[in-house]
Amino acid sequence: MALENKLGIDNSADLAREEERISKKKAVALFETGLLDQLEAGKFSSLKAIHKYLFEDVYDFAGEIRKVNLAKGNFRFAPLMYLETALENIDKMPQSTFEEIVEKYVEMNIAHPFREGNGRSTRIWLDLILKNELHKVVDWSQVDKEDYLLAMERSPVRDIEIKHILRPALTNDINSREVYMKGIDHSYYYEGYTTFKAEEL
Ligand SMILES: Nc1ncnc2c1ncn2[C@@H]1O[C@H](COP(=O)(O)OP(=O)(O)OP(=O)(O)O)[C@@H](O)[C@H]1O
Ligand SMILES: [Mg+2]
């Protein structure tokens, strides 16, 4: 069974393919129109706008905070009860050094505000902060996907691995569409969620 969607697709493999195709087209437009550069780097409002833009043709929940608790692997993302407070606190986190920016990214991943598409939208959000603050972005083609995922799984406990992976991948090539699009190459990362009810917490 596929996640409820605007495309009328009920097979999850078909949905994954169509979702990827449509969101990539939207990601290009987000970049090419200059809309992305108008967003305020490091705020939840900008992540919300990115998520809405990428997924508005696919999901009703595009840009909307999730209404279920989520887990991946053994990790439970921020409980719904604390999600809004967590997002307000993340907005206030500093972002003037590479370390601070990655720490902010890690917290946003723990918040995982959306039902789907957190990885892609939050990597674009991360790059927007890096671009604004450090005039750099991550060249995701230099980031091994498996290493990235392992480091992200580890990041709520210890963020040194993800810092270690992202730092050498920084590039000054901040206006390259190819570099930007590498960050949302989705197919390698796919893994589904477990959802659970509040009383199971
Ligand atoms: N066990 C875990 N613990 C913490 N974070 C995780 C875990 N597994 C995955 N993540 C993070 O969640 C992201 C995936 O979130 P989600 O599936 O909502 O987004 P996506 O855009 O569909 O996926 P992707 O990042 O795979 O392109 C990963 O990129 C990673 O940063
Ligand atoms: Mg996903």
Side-chain angles (χ1 to χ4, degrees):
M1 268 300 283
L3 208 52
E4 196 176 314
N5 61 82
K6 292 186 172 181
L7 310 171
I9 298 175
D10 52 19
N11 171 293
S12 55
D14 291 345
L15 176 61
R17 193 177 333 103
E18 274 304 285
E19 187 228 60
E20 180 176 346
R21 188 183 64 78
I22 294 168
S23 61
K24 277 185 172 162
K25 265 172 76 174
K26 295 300 299 270
V28 169
L30 184 63
F31 187 84
E32 295 291 345
T33 55
L35 277 171
L36 185 58
D37 288 319
Q38 291 169 26
L39 301 175
E40 191 181 355
K43 299 293 178 198
F44 173 65
S45 59
S46 58
L47 178 61
K48 184 179 160 77
I50 293 166
H51 190 274
K52 182 169 173 28
Y53 196 86
L54 293 187
F55 298 110
E56 64 190 350
D57 298 333
V58 182
Y59 298 122
D60 282 331
F61 61 74
E64 299 299 327
I65 292 180
R66 60 183 158 86
K67 295 183 171 65
V68 290
N69 287 303
L70 289 183
K72 235 174 210 188
N74 290 324
F75 187 67
R76 291 179 172 203
F77 296 100
L80 270 186
M81 224 183 134
Y82 304 121
L83 185 49
E84 298 219 16
T85 311
L87 294 171
E88 285 165 19
N89 290 332
I90 295 168
D91 265 17
K92 294 180 214 145
M93 287 178 74
Q95 53 185 45
S96 53
T97 65
F98 173 77
E99 271 71 24
E100 287 177 348
I101 294 167
V102 176
E103 285 157 23
K104 197 161 177 163
Y105 173 64
V106 163
E107 289 305 316
M108 191 56 92
N109 181 60
I110 293 170
H112 239 65
F114 311 112
R115 179 63 185 80
E116 243 310 332
N118 293 282
R120 286 165 285 173
S121 52
T122 311
R123 287 192 295 278
I124 292 176
W125 181 80
L126 166 66
D127 275 330
L128 184 65
I129 309 176
L130 290 167
K131 188 172 173 177
N132 272 261
E133 302 287 336
L134 308 178
H135 303 288
K136 290 179 191 298
V137 291
V138 175
D139 177 358
W140 294 96
S141 70
Q142 293 184 47
V143 176
D144 180 84
K145 310 247 152 74
E146 212 169 307
D147 291 350
Y148 161 78
L149 253 189
L150 286 171
M152 288 309 290
E153 285 172 13
R154 179 86 174 133
S155 68
V157 180
R158 210 172 120 88
D159 60 23
I160 189 130
E161 284 98 339
I162 189 63
K163 285 175 178 166
H164 183 78
I165 283 169
L166 297 182
R167 191 183 287 104
L170 290 176
T171 171
N172 295 319
D173 205 2
I174 57 174
N175 294 315
S176 160
R177 191 174 108 176
E178 284 65 44
V179 170
Y180 160 78
M181 287 299 290
K182 279 287 176 197
I184 59 158
D185 222 333
H186 176 244
S187 47
Y188 295 92
Y189 297 105
Y190 184 76
E191 193 208 340
Y193 284 109
T194 314
T195 59
F196 51 95
K197 298 189 191 81
E199 55 267 31
E200 291 169 331
L201 268 173

